[in-house]
PDB file of all heavy atoms in Angstrom:
ATOM      1  N   GLN A  37       1.608   2.910  17.644  1.00 83.00           N
ATOM      2  CA  GLN A  37       0.302   2.671  18.233  1.00 83.00           C
ATOM      3  C   GLN A  37       0.222   1.323  18.960  1.00 83.00           C
ATOM      4  O   GLN A  37      -0.725   1.084  19.692  1.00 83.00           O
ATOM      5  CB  GLN A  37      -0.822   2.803  17.200  1.00 83.00           C
ATOM      6  CG  GLN A  37      -0.803   1.772  16.103  1.00 83.00           C
ATOM      7  CD  GLN A  37      -0.005   2.206  14.891  1.00 83.00           C
ATOM      8  OE1 GLN A  37       0.866   3.069  14.977  1.00 83.00           O
ATOM      9  NE2 GLN A  37      -0.284   1.602  13.750  1.00 83.00           N
ATOM     10  N   GLU A  38       1.208   0.449  18.765  1.00 85.00           N
ATOM     11  CA  GLU A  38       1.205  -0.862  19.423  1.00 85.00           C
ATOM     12  C   GLU A  38       2.282  -0.988  20.499  1.00 85.00           C
ATOM     13  O   GLU A  38       2.507  -2.073  21.023  1.00 85.00           O
ATOM     14  CB  GLU A  38       1.389  -1.967  18.378  1.00 85.00           C
ATOM     15  CG  GLU A  38       0.229  -2.084  17.419  1.00 85.00           C
ATOM     16  CD  GLU A  38       0.437  -3.185  16.397  1.00 85.00           C
ATOM     17  OE1 GLU A  38       1.315  -4.045  16.585  1.00 85.00           O
ATOM     18  OE2 GLU A  38      -0.299  -3.182  15.393  1.00 85.00           O
ATOM     19  N   GLN A  39       2.958   0.085  20.838  1.00 85.00           N
ATOM     20  CA  GLN A  39       4.056   0.028  21.807  1.00 85.00           C
ATOM     21  C   GLN A  39       3.602  -0.476  23.179  1.00 85.00           C
ATOM     22  O   GLN A  39       4.356  -1.153  23.868  1.00 85.00           O
ATOM     23  CB  GLN A  39       4.717   1.402  21.959  1.00 85.00           C
ATOM     24  CG  GLN A  39       5.514   1.829  20.757  1.00 85.00           C
ATOM     25  CD  GLN A  39       6.759   0.988  20.543  1.00 85.00           C
ATOM     26  OE1 GLN A  39       7.513   0.753  21.467  1.00 85.00           O
ATOM     27  NE2 GLN A  39       6.962   0.531  19.337  1.00 85.00           N
ATOM     28  N   LEU A  40       2.394  -0.154  23.595  1.00 91.00           N
ATOM     29  CA  LEU A  40       1.915  -0.541  24.928  1.00 91.00           C
ATOM     30  C   LEU A  40       1.141  -1.860  24.922  1.00 91.00           C
ATOM     31  O   LEU A  40       0.747  -2.343  25.986  1.00 91.00           O
ATOM     32  CB  LEU A  40       1.040   0.571  25.511  1.00 91.00           C
ATOM     33  CG  LEU A  40       1.743   1.923  25.700  1.00 91.00           C
ATOM     34  CD1 LEU A  40       0.769   2.962  26.210  1.00 91.00           C
ATOM     35  CD2 LEU A  40       2.923   1.784  26.640  1.00 91.00           C
ATOM     36  N   VAL A  41       0.927  -2.434  23.749  1.00 92.00           N
ATOM     37  CA  VAL A  41       0.137  -3.665  23.644  1.00 92.00           C
ATOM     38  C   VAL A  41       0.738  -4.821  24.448  1.00 92.00           C
ATOM     39  O   VAL A  41       0.007  -5.513  25.160  1.00 92.00           O
ATOM     40  CB  VAL A  41      -0.090  -4.053  22.164  1.00 92.00           C
ATOM     41  CG1 VAL A  41      -0.684  -5.448  22.034  1.00 92.00           C
ATOM     42  CG2 VAL A  41      -0.981  -3.034  21.496  1.00 92.00           C
ATOM     43  N   PRO A  42       2.059  -5.084  24.404  1.00 93.00           N
ATOM     44  CA  PRO A  42       2.586  -6.210  25.184  1.00 93.00           C
ATOM     45  C   PRO A  42       2.288  -6.099  26.681  1.00 93.00           C
ATOM     46  O   PRO A  42       1.913  -7.090  27.317  1.00 93.00           O
ATOM     47  CB  PRO A  42       4.093  -6.171  24.913  1.00 93.00           C
ATOM     48  CG  PRO A  42       4.214  -5.524  23.578  1.00 93.00           C
ATOM     49  CD  PRO A  42       3.115  -4.502  23.544  1.00 93.00           C
ATOM     50  N   GLY A  43       2.413  -4.921  27.243  1.00 94.00           N
ATOM     51  CA  GLY A  43       2.111  -4.753  28.666  1.00 94.00           C
ATOM     52  C   GLY A  43       0.647  -5.002  28.978  1.00 94.00           C
ATOM     53  O   GLY A  43       0.309  -5.632  29.984  1.00 94.00           O
ATOM     54  N   VAL A  44      -0.232  -4.524  28.092  1.00 96.00           N
ATOM     55  CA  VAL A  44      -1.670  -4.739  28.290  1.00 96.00           C
ATOM     56  C   VAL A  44      -1.998  -6.225  28.190  1.00 96.00           C
ATOM     57  O   VAL A  44      -2.785  -6.752  28.982  1.00 96.00           O
ATOM     58  CB  VAL A  44      -2.483  -3.920  27.262  1.00 96.00           C
ATOM     59  CG1 VAL A  44      -3.953  -4.288  27.293  1.00 96.00           C
ATOM     60  CG2 VAL A  44      -2.291  -2.435  27.510  1.00 96.00           C
ATOM     61  N   LEU A  45      -1.385  -6.916  27.234  1.00 96.00           N
ATOM     62  CA  LEU A  45      -1.627  -8.358  27.084  1.00 96.00           C
ATOM     63  C   LEU A  45      -1.175  -9.116  28.319  1.00 96.00           C
ATOM     64  O   LEU A  45      -1.867 -10.029  28.787  1.00 96.00           O
ATOM     65  CB  LEU A  45      -0.903  -8.891  25.850  1.00 96.00           C
ATOM     66  CG  LEU A  45      -1.457  -8.458  24.503  1.00 96.00           C
ATOM     67  CD1 LEU A  45      -0.535  -8.911  23.383  1.00 96.00           C
ATOM     68  CD2 LEU A  45      -2.858  -8.994  24.295  1.00 96.00           C
ATOM     69  N   LEU A  46      -0.021  -8.743  28.868  1.00 97.00           N
ATOM     70  CA  LEU A  46       0.492  -9.436  30.047  1.00 97.00           C
ATOM     71  C   LEU A  46      -0.407  -9.209  31.258  1.00 97.00           C
ATOM     72  O   LEU A  46      -0.729 -10.153  31.991  1.00 97.00           O
ATOM     73  CB  LEU A  46       1.926  -8.971  30.334  1.00 97.00           C
ATOM     74  CG  LEU A  46       2.701  -9.786  31.344  1.00 97.00           C
ATOM     75  CD1 LEU A  46       2.799 -11.240  30.918  1.00 97.00           C
ATOM     76  CD2 LEU A  46       4.080  -9.200  31.537  1.00 97.00           C
ATOM     77  N   TRP A  47      -0.831  -7.976  31.472  1.00 98.00           N
ATOM     78  CA  TRP A  47      -1.731  -7.679  32.591  1.00 98.00           C
ATOM     79  C   TRP A  47      -3.076  -8.391  32.429  1.00 98.00           C
ATOM     80  O   TRP A  47      -3.621  -8.941  33.389  1.00 98.00           O
ATOM     81  CB  TRP A  47      -1.953  -6.176  32.723  1.00 98.00           C
ATOM     82  CG  TRP A  47      -0.894  -5.514  33.528  1.00 98.00           C
ATOM     83  CD1 TRP A  47       0.182  -4.819  33.064  1.00 98.00           C
ATOM     84  CD2 TRP A  47      -0.782  -5.504  34.953  1.00 98.00           C
ATOM     85  NE1 TRP A  47       0.947  -4.380  34.109  1.00 98.00           N
ATOM     86  CE2 TRP A  47       0.371  -4.778  35.285  1.00 98.00           C
ATOM     87  CE3 TRP A  47      -1.562  -6.032  35.971  1.00 98.00           C
ATOM     88  CZ2 TRP A  47       0.774  -4.572  36.595  1.00 98.00           C
ATOM     89  CZ3 TRP A  47      -1.155  -5.822  37.287  1.00 98.00           C
ATOM     90  CH2 TRP A  47      -0.008  -5.107  37.576  1.00 98.00           C
ATOM     91  N   THR A  48      -3.598  -8.391  31.224  1.00 97.00           N
ATOM     92  CA  THR A  48      -4.887  -9.038  30.987  1.00 97.00           C
ATOM     93  C   THR A  48      -4.774 -10.548  31.191  1.00 97.00           C
ATOM     94  O   THR A  48      -5.675 -11.166  31.775  1.00 97.00           O
ATOM     95  CB  THR A  48      -5.392  -8.724  29.565  1.00 97.00           C
ATOM     96  OG1 THR A  48      -5.353  -7.314  29.366  1.00 97.00           O
ATOM     97  CG2 THR A  48      -6.797  -9.216  29.352  1.00 97.00           C
ATOM     98  N   ALA A  49      -3.669 -11.135  30.723  1.00 97.00           N
ATOM     99  CA  ALA A  49      -3.454 -12.573  30.945  1.00 97.00           C
ATOM    100  C   ALA A  49      -3.386 -12.858  32.436  1.00 97.00           C
ATOM    101  O   ALA A  49      -3.964 -13.841  32.920  1.00 97.00           O
ATOM    102  CB  ALA A  49      -2.174 -13.034  30.254  1.00 97.00           C
ATOM    103  N   GLY A  50      -2.694 -12.002  33.176  1.00 97.00           N
ATOM    104  CA  GLY A  50      -2.619 -12.179  34.630  1.00 97.00           C
ATOM    105  C   GLY A  50      -3.985 -12.124  35.282  1.00 97.00           C
ATOM    106  O   GLY A  50      -4.284 -12.913  36.193  1.00 97.00           O
ATOM    107  N   LEU A  51      -4.844 -11.232  34.812  1.00 98.00           N
ATOM    108  CA  LEU A  51      -6.207 -11.149  35.357  1.00 98.00           C
ATOM    109  C   LEU A  51      -7.017 -12.404  35.038  1.00 98.00           C
ATOM    110  O   LEU A  51      -7.777 -12.889  35.883  1.00 98.00           O
ATOM    111  CB  LEU A  51      -6.910  -9.908  34.826  1.00 98.00           C
ATOM    112  CG  LEU A  51      -6.394  -8.576  35.358  1.00 98.00           C
ATOM    113  CD1 LEU A  51      -7.079  -7.416  34.643  1.00 98.00           C
ATOM    114  CD2 LEU A  51      -6.615  -8.471  36.856  1.00 98.00           C
ATOM    115  N   PHE A  52      -6.838 -12.946  33.840  1.00 98.00           N
ATOM    116  CA  PHE A  52      -7.546 -14.187  33.498  1.00 98.00           C
ATOM    117  C   PHE A  52      -7.038 -15.351  34.354  1.00 98.00           C
ATOM    118  O   PHE A  52      -7.839 -16.166  34.823  1.00 98.00           O
ATOM    119  CB  PHE A  52      -7.417 -14.512  32.006  1.00 98.00           C
ATOM    120  CG  PHE A  52      -8.492 -13.902  31.171  1.00 98.00           C
ATOM    121  CD1 PHE A  52      -8.277 -12.705  30.514  1.00 98.00           C
ATOM    122  CD2 PHE A  52      -9.722 -14.512  31.038  1.00 98.00           C
ATOM    123  CE1 PHE A  52      -9.273 -12.131  29.747  1.00 98.00           C
ATOM    124  CE2 PHE A  52     -10.730 -13.948  30.270  1.00 98.00           C
ATOM    125  CZ  PHE A  52     -10.497 -12.744  29.621  1.00 98.00           C
ATOM    126  N   PHE A  53      -5.722 -15.432  34.561  1.00 98.00           N
ATOM    127  CA  PHE A  53      -5.189 -16.505  35.405  1.00 98.00           C
ATOM    128  C   PHE A  53      -5.656 -16.346  36.850  1.00 98.00           C
ATOM    129  O   PHE A  53      -5.982 -17.334  37.521  1.00 98.00           O
ATOM    130  CB  PHE A  53      -3.660 -16.547  35.340  1.00 98.00           C
ATOM    131  CG  PHE A  53      -3.130 -17.097  34.050  1.00 98.00           C
ATOM    132  CD1 PHE A  53      -2.113 -16.447  33.375  1.00 98.00           C
ATOM    133  CD2 PHE A  53      -3.633 -18.270  33.504  1.00 98.00           C
ATOM    134  CE1 PHE A  53      -1.613 -16.951  32.188  1.00 98.00           C
ATOM    135  CE2 PHE A  53      -3.147 -18.784  32.317  1.00 98.00           C
ATOM    136  CZ  PHE A  53      -2.141 -18.115  31.653  1.00 98.00           C
ATOM    137  N   LEU A  54      -5.704 -15.124  37.347  1.00 98.00           N
ATOM    138  CA  LEU A  54      -6.187 -14.866  38.699  1.00 98.00           C
ATOM    139  C   LEU A  54      -7.666 -15.220  38.818  1.00 98.00           C
ATOM    140  O   LEU A  54      -8.089 -15.841  39.806  1.00 98.00           O
ATOM    141  CB  LEU A  54      -5.952 -13.397  39.060  1.00 98.00           C
ATOM    142  CG  LEU A  54      -5.989 -13.030  40.511  1.00 98.00           C
ATOM    143  CD1 LEU A  54      -4.900 -13.763  41.298  1.00 98.00           C
ATOM    144  CD2 LEU A  54      -5.795 -11.526  40.673  1.00 98.00           C
ATOM    145  N   SER A  55      -8.446 -14.865  37.815  1.00 97.00           N
ATOM    146  CA  SER A  55      -9.869 -15.227  37.808  1.00 97.00           C
ATOM    147  C   SER A  55     -10.031 -16.740  37.790  1.00 97.00           C
ATOM    148  O   SER A  55     -10.886 -17.298  38.495  1.00 97.00           O
ATOM    149  CB  SER A  55     -10.572 -14.620  36.590  1.00 97.00           C
ATOM    150  OG  SER A  55     -10.504 -13.230  36.617  1.00 97.00           O
ATOM    151  N   TRP A  56      -9.214 -17.402  36.971  1.00 97.00           N
ATOM    152  CA  TRP A  56      -9.262 -18.867  36.919  1.00 97.00           C
ATOM    153  C   TRP A  56      -8.925 -19.474  38.277  1.00 97.00           C
ATOM    154  O   TRP A  56      -9.598 -20.399  38.732  1.00 97.00           O
ATOM    155  CB  TRP A  56      -8.286 -19.376  35.857  1.00 97.00           C
ATOM    156  CG  TRP A  56      -8.069 -20.859  35.920  1.00 97.00           C
ATOM    157  CD1 TRP A  56      -8.918 -21.826  35.471  1.00 97.00           C
ATOM    158  CD2 TRP A  56      -6.960 -21.531  36.499  1.00 97.00           C
ATOM    159  NE1 TRP A  56      -8.383 -23.064  35.730  1.00 97.00           N
ATOM    160  CE2 TRP A  56      -7.177 -22.916  36.355  1.00 97.00           C
ATOM    161  CE3 TRP A  56      -5.794 -21.103  37.112  1.00 97.00           C
ATOM    162  CZ2 TRP A  56      -6.294 -23.858  36.817  1.00 97.00           C
ATOM    163  CZ3 TRP A  56      -4.893 -22.050  37.567  1.00 97.00           C
ATOM    164  CH2 TRP A  56      -5.141 -23.407  37.419  1.00 97.00           C
ATOM    165  N   LEU A  57      -7.897 -18.915  38.940  1.00 97.00           N
ATOM    166  CA  LEU A  57      -7.490 -19.432  40.246  1.00 97.00           C
ATOM    167  C   LEU A  57      -8.613 -19.278  41.269  1.00 97.00           C
ATOM    168  O   LEU A  57      -8.964 -20.241  41.970  1.00 97.00           O
ATOM    169  CB  LEU A  57      -6.230 -18.724  40.724  1.00 97.00           C
ATOM    170  CG  LEU A  57      -5.697 -19.148  42.082  1.00 97.00           C
ATOM    171  CD1 LEU A  57      -5.209 -20.587  42.035  1.00 97.00           C
ATOM    172  CD2 LEU A  57      -4.590 -18.218  42.520  1.00 97.00           C
ATOM    173  N   PHE A  58      -9.202 -18.094  41.363  1.00 96.00           N
ATOM    174  CA  PHE A  58     -10.281 -17.866  42.328  1.00 96.00           C
ATOM    175  C   PHE A  58     -11.510 -18.717  42.012  1.00 96.00           C
ATOM    176  O   PHE A  58     -12.128 -19.286  42.907  1.00 96.00           O
ATOM    177  CB  PHE A  58     -10.656 -16.386  42.393  1.00 96.00           C
ATOM    178  CG  PHE A  58      -9.659 -15.542  43.115  1.00 96.00           C
ATOM    179  CD1 PHE A  58      -9.315 -14.298  42.618  1.00 96.00           C
ATOM    180  CD2 PHE A  58      -9.044 -15.974  44.280  1.00 96.00           C
ATOM    181  CE1 PHE A  58      -8.393 -13.509  43.271  1.00 96.00           C
ATOM    182  CE2 PHE A  58      -8.118 -15.195  44.947  1.00 96.00           C
ATOM    183  CZ  PHE A  58      -7.787 -13.956  44.444  1.00 96.00           C
ATOM    184  N   PHE A  59     -11.846 -18.803  40.735  1.00 95.00           N
ATOM    185  CA  PHE A  59     -13.001 -19.603  40.338  1.00 95.00           C
ATOM    186  C   PHE A  59     -12.752 -21.088  40.645  1.00 95.00           C
ATOM    187  O   PHE A  59     -13.636 -21.773  41.151  1.00 95.00           O
ATOM    188  CB  PHE A  59     -13.306 -19.394  38.856  1.00 95.00           C
ATOM    189  CG  PHE A  59     -14.599 -20.000  38.412  1.00 95.00           C
ATOM    190  CD1 PHE A  59     -15.802 -19.379  38.702  1.00 95.00           C
ATOM    191  CD2 PHE A  59     -14.618 -21.189  37.694  1.00 95.00           C
ATOM    192  CE1 PHE A  59     -17.005 -19.936  38.298  1.00 95.00           C
ATOM    193  CE2 PHE A  59     -15.810 -21.748  37.290  1.00 95.00           C
ATOM    194  CZ  PHE A  59     -17.013 -21.123  37.584  1.00 95.00           C
TER     195      PHE A  59
END
Side-chain angles (χ1 to χ4, degrees):
Q37 65 269 22
E38 294 180 16
Q39 289 292 312
L40 299 177
V41 170
V44 171
L45 290 173
L46 192 58
W47 275 100
T48 308
L51 290 174
F52 271 97
F53 287 133
L54 198 61
S55 299
W56 169 77
L57 179 66
F58 286 138
F59 189 77

